[in-house]
Amino acid sequence: TTGVMDIRSKFINLEASSNVVIKSNGTQSLHFGYEDIKNDGVSGGEWKIVNTDTNSNIHLVTTDTNGAQNNIMVADSYGRVGIGTDYPSEKLEVVGVIKSSVAEDNYAFEVENTNESEFKYRIYNDGSTSTEAPVFKTGLYYNNIENSSIRFYRGDSFGDGYLKFTTNGTERMIINKDG
């Protein structure tokens, strides 16, 4: 079938110009055209939000119960993403707390050296509930083998935690609860 399909309802309008207008009430609406949100046409393909204005940003905004708008996330025209900030200065900038929950024996954070991808810095969840086993560790890995680390032990109770420093798999120093 060729031509234009015109759908008119109280909340969704598909206009002859291929623009879609979604209204939440008489005064607020979301407008986008065919080129703004589209599928790449391949079976199982991805949907894209396309901003064709090279000098503008894409914002994800919510409105609270008092009607105030809150900017949740922004993607700027330079490819930077900001969460909690309207003006990200890096590829990803987060203003606020980042929480990561990972299962035992997994890392929650990894930074890879772009010049030597074998080297990685990780924050790792050992997940042990034993007082004599590390709960978390942070360290340098080479080809997924621990090179050096700081291990955090939980101890028997509040205030009993301690640290161990290792290099090449060998414990080099312990700082107990008394320092």
Side-chain angles (χ1 to χ4, degrees), residues 17-179:
S17 62
S18 296
N19 289 326
V20 176
V21 179
I22 301 174
K23 294 183 179 182
S24 63
N25 61 35
T27 60
Q28 297 177 340
S29 62
L30 168 66
H31 299 261
F32 53 90
Y34 173 74
E35 289 298 315
D36 299 331
I37 298 179
K38 60 185 177 181
N39 185 280
D40 63 10
V42 179
S43 177
E46 56 191 39
W47 284 87
K48 299 176 182 178
I49 297 175
V50 179
N51 183 359
T52 56
D53 183 350
T54 58
N55 294 319
S56 64
N57 302 331
I58 297 172
H59 294 264
L60 176 61
V61 179
T62 60
T63 303
D64 66 21
T65 56
N66 297 322
Q69 290 188 339
N70 302 300
N71 197 11
I72 304 300
M73 184 174 74
V74 63
D76 73 12
S77 59
Y78 299 102
R80 298 176 297 212
V81 174
I83 299 173
T85 179
D86 291 340
Y87 306 102
S89 59
E90 300 296 333
K91 208 55 157 161
L92 175 63
E93 182 174 342
V94 178
V95 175
V97 175
I98 299 172
K99 180 179 179 178
S100 175
S101 298
V102 296
E104 184 176 336
D105 295 326
N106 286 287
Y107 53 91
F109 179 78
E110 179 180 84
V111 177
E112 182 177 290
N113 183 333
T114 57
N115 296 323
E116 291 183 271
S117 60
E118 300 88 3
F119 279 106
K120 295 172 178 37
Y121 169 75
R122 292 180 178 161
I123 298 175
Y124 195 87
N125 175 16
D126 271 354
S128 176
T129 57
S130 168
T131 60
E132 296 303 318
V135 178
F136 292 100
K137 64 182 172 185
T138 182
L140 180 64
Y141 290 78
Y142 181 78
N143 283 331
N144 293 321
I145 298 170
E146 186 178 305
N147 181 296
S148 58
S149 71
I150 302 171
R151 297 166 187 247
F152 300 84
Y153 291 77
R154 61 185 287 276
D156 290 331
S157 63
F158 179 78
D160 284 345
Y162 56 99
L163 301 172
K164 287 187 180 180
F165 295 81
T166 63
T167 57
N168 298 322
T170 303
E171 182 181 298
R172 304 295 181 178
M173 180 173 62
I174 297 175
I175 300 177
N176 66 17
K177 68 178 183 175
D178 299 321

